[in-house]
Amino acid sequence: MSTMICKVLGYGLTDLQHGDDRMNWESPLLDFTAAPTFTEFADHPATVKGREFSWLEPAECVRRMGDAHPHRSLDSCVVHNAESGSESVLVLVPPSRANDWSRSDDTFDYLEAHFGDEPDMEPVVRELRTGITPFDGLWMDRETGAELHKFGMFRRLLQSGDPSPERLLAAARSIAVLPNFDADETLGELAAGTITGKPVTDTEPLFHDADVAEDRLVRLVPAEVRELASFGHLFTDPDTWKSLVPVHYTYWS
């Protein structure tokens, strides 16, 4: 019988089926006997640094974790426990957050699970509609995966309960893709007034319909999570990461 309680925060799928064809079940990230290490992930040429929320970039955090524990594998960042957890749940933890976003065999968690007459040992996954700090204020377009900005008024109007259709549409039309001032952009591109191939002066609204905007505005999946999935060839369709949602997952192992 499983006796160790485990809790994890991350970005997950909660509707997996047995043999789900969205998954590459041969991914090394799912081979818990030979999963890649933190160091291998940090050395991966395409590893995305992402946003800097602390004095260290995520990639540097991962490298330091790998230096401290050279043989530590990434299996703790990919949670799919069909035997003692839920077969329908897959959770990806940003490697730089592996020490903070997962824990097991915690005394407080164990006691809380045993507060009732019988221990509560069923796996439970909850979608976190508030997001996960420090990414809770970041949003993206579900269809393209692009990070968005200028969405504050639209969200406030939605939360107000009964906004006028005109104001809601105007707010939806103001939502825009966050310009990507990437260090790899050439001076020529910047001088030409373009950023990642799109004119800076382009004012064409991203959304022309408030309902579409509401459906496509979702919590941002951090670049580090996207790169982890790509690094391990975890999904058969590279766009599957757009379906990941922030979750809190409890299971027993």
Side-chain angles (χ1 to χ4, degrees):
M1 177 181 291
S2 300
T3 58
M4 185 169 67
I5 188 169
C6 306
K7 293 193 174 186
V8 62
L9 293 172
Y11 295 81
L13 298 174
T14 61
D15 60 348
L16 287 180
Q17 303 293 324
H18 180 73
D20 200 303
D21 60 10
R22 290 173 294 178
M23 298 290 299
N24 170 21
W25 296 105
E26 301 300 319
S27 167
L29 294 176
L30 297 175
D31 183 353
F32 301 134
T33 63
T37 65
F38 278 70
T39 299
E40 289 172 321
F41 180 62
D43 288 340
H44 183 50
T47 295
V48 178
K49 290 185 177 181
R51 286 176 169 268
E52 185 175 5
F53 286 101
S54 64
W55 64 281
L56 285 177
E57 289 277 7
E60 184 61 24
C61 289
V62 175
R63 183 172 301 283
R64 292 197 175 199
M65 293 164 73
D67 290 344
H69 304 281
H71 302 294
R72 182 179 181 181
S73 73
L74 289 167
D75 60 359
S76 61
C77 298
V78 183
V79 179
H80 181 258
N81 194 325
E83 294 182 2
S84 55
S86 172
E87 185 178 19
S88 64
V89 176
L90 168 81
V91 181
L92 301 185
V93 180
S96 66
R97 302 276 167 177
N99 291 339
D100 304 322
W101 285 17
S102 63
R103 69 187 187 195
S104 59
D105 207 21
D106 181 86
T107 301
F108 286 98
D109 293 338
Y110 183 83
L111 289 174
E112 288 174 357
H114 287 72
F115 278 163
D117 295 333
E118 297 291 336
D120 184 1
M121 300 179 69
E122 291 298 317
V124 177
V125 61
R126 296 181 176 89
E127 181 176 344
L128 301 175
R129 300 190 181 279
T130 57
I132 308 173
T133 303
F135 307 101
D136 48 345
L138 306 179
W139 295 76
M140 71 178 191
D141 181 349
R142 181 204 306 273
E143 184 172 295
T144 65
E147 184 173 352
L148 304 177
H149 70 149
K150 299 182 180 180
F151 50 75
M153 178 58 72
F154 181 71
R155 286 196 43 76
R156 285 193 291 274
L157 288 174
L158 287 177
Q159 293 167 356
S160 70
D162 189 26
S164 71
E166 294 78 12
R167 291 189 66 195
L168 195 61
L169 177 58
R173 289 172 62 88
S174 71
I175 299 172
V177 173
L178 186 70
N180 180 20
F181 291 94
D182 192 285
D184 293 331
E185 296 286 351
T186 66
L187 292 176
E189 288 174 320
L190 293 174
T194 62
I195 298 174
T196 60
K198 184 174 182 178
V200 177
T201 56
D202 187 354
T203 57
E204 178 67 20
L206 180 64
F207 299 116
H208 296 272
D209 184 286
D211 290 337
V212 172
E214 182 178 4
D215 177 66
R216 284 170 50 180
L217 190 65
V218 296
R219 296 286 178 180
L220 180 80
V221 177
E224 192 181 351
V225 171
R226 306 197 301 264
E227 185 53 40
L228 175 64
S230 175
F231 169 72
H233 305 287
L234 187 60
F235 302 126
T236 55
D237 182 341
D239 284 339
T240 298
W241 67 266
K242 297 175 187 175
S243 301
L244 298 172
V245 295
V247 296
H248 175 280
Y249 182 38
T250 301
Y251 65 100
W252 293 75
S253 178

